[in-house]
Amino acid sequence: MENPCTTEKAKRDYILLRQALDHNDQKAYAELMKLYRDSIYYILVKIVKNSDDAEDLTLETFGKAFKYLDKYSPQYAFSTWLFRIALNNSIDFIRHKNNIPQCIDSEQYNYEQEQFIEHSQSAETPTPEDHVMDKQRVEMLRLAVQQLPEKYRKVVELRYYEELSYEEISEKLGISLSNVKIQLLRAKNMLSQLMVNVRNAI
């Protein structure tokens, strides 16, 4: 784990991470949790809509993060890495709870991510590593969209690139409103798998 030293926030987190990893410093672990616990809890409440479940998932998020702390790459913000763990935990939780495959709506995902960054960083501007991760995510998503079958790619582009309403897409493509929603849902489920393949290819 190399020290990125890009911002005061990154330096602070790096020092705490090194203390935790190198010396098993329980105070360092506690400080990291204190810094980000409320932010993680806040975003999980928004996703799972239940405070008790969010509390459990928050503890689980930090448990996983601390267990695999040596895998963390400091080229990304520690808060962003935590958020990704929390998001994955919430997706698994929702799938298990409903016992059916789930797809978190991309519009909701974008909103939650913006709220998380705003809440956790307060008045700070996004760090360079945040920008790197955002750019990588957007590029991976665009690559994945290009691999969709044409009819699904078209409906995704109209909805998320051109920002048309469901009704406008229905009119433009000459298909029913319910068909638009079905195709978008199928496209999102395809994208979730394609994103994994794109990540592995990059």
Side-chain angles (χ1 to χ4, degrees):
M1 182 189 295
E2 298 180 357
N3 188 349
C5 293
T6 54
T7 66
E8 290 303 314
K9 175 173 171 284
K11 292 175 185 177
R12 177 204 66 197
D13 289 352
Y14 180 80
I15 291 172
L16 290 171
L17 290 166
R18 286 265 52 109
Q19 289 175 342
L21 279 171
D22 297 341
H23 307 293
N24 194 28
D25 188 335
Q26 297 303 306
K27 289 184 178 179
Y29 282 116
E31 183 63 20
L32 285 169
M33 189 167 183
K34 179 181 177 182
L35 286 168
Y36 294 110
R37 184 188 179 284
D38 288 347
S39 298
I40 294 296
Y41 174 78
Y42 173 84
I43 195 63
L44 286 169
V45 166
K46 289 283 188 178
I47 294 174
V48 301
K49 314 296 184 185
N50 181 283
S51 59
D52 290 337
D53 291 337
E55 182 69 36
D56 291 341
L57 287 168
T58 298
L59 295 176
E60 184 179 336
T61 294
F62 280 98
K64 287 184 177 180
F66 291 158
K67 181 178 180 180
Y68 299 107
L69 201 56
D70 60 326
K71 307 297 184 184
Y72 164 67
S73 173
Q75 72 181 105
Y76 304 125
F78 183 65
S79 58
T80 305
W81 188 64
L82 276 175
F83 172 80
R84 294 174 71 86
I85 295 174
L87 181 63
N88 288 335
N89 280 351
S90 65
I91 292 173
D92 290 342
F93 171 80
I94 293 170
R95 284 174 174 164
H96 183 266
K97 183 176 181 179
N98 294 334
N99 198 32
I100 56 175
Q102 293 291 326
C103 178
I104 290 184
D105 188 274
S106 59
E107 293 170 321
Q108 179 71 6
Y109 170 85
N110 289 336
Y111 170 77
E112 302 295 0
Q113 185 180 44
E114 289 167 3
Q115 292 297 307
F116 171 79
I117 292 173
E118 179 182 348
H119 188 77
S120 63
Q121 296 184 344
S122 299
E124 294 184 34
T125 57
T127 64
E129 55 265 34
D130 290 330
H131 287 303
V132 169
M133 176 162 279
D134 286 342
K135 289 179 180 179
Q136 288 182 340
R137 185 177 64 82
V138 170
E139 181 60 26
M140 286 191 294
L141 181 58
R142 288 189 178 276
L143 288 171
V145 169
Q146 290 304 310
Q147 296 181 45
L148 289 172
E150 183 177 358
K151 72 174 182 178
Y152 296 118
R153 184 179 72 248
K154 188 63 177 177
V155 77
V156 167
E157 289 174 343
L158 290 173
R159 178 59 177 160
Y160 298 110
Y161 295 173
E162 299 184 27
E163 299 183 348
L164 299 186
S165 67
Y166 292 151
E167 291 78 7
E168 290 171 328
I169 296 172
S170 173
E171 182 177 346
K172 189 175 184 67
L173 297 181
I175 59 179
S176 68
L177 191 60
S178 61
N179 213 353
V180 170
K181 295 178 180 179
I182 289 171
Q183 287 189 20
L184 274 173
L185 179 59
R186 288 175 178 171
K188 291 174 190 176
N189 285 323
M190 290 180 192
L191 281 173
S192 64
Q193 182 57 51
L194 285 171
M195 284 289 282
V196 174
N197 296 339
V198 170
R199 284 193 193 98
N200 294 334
I202 292 178

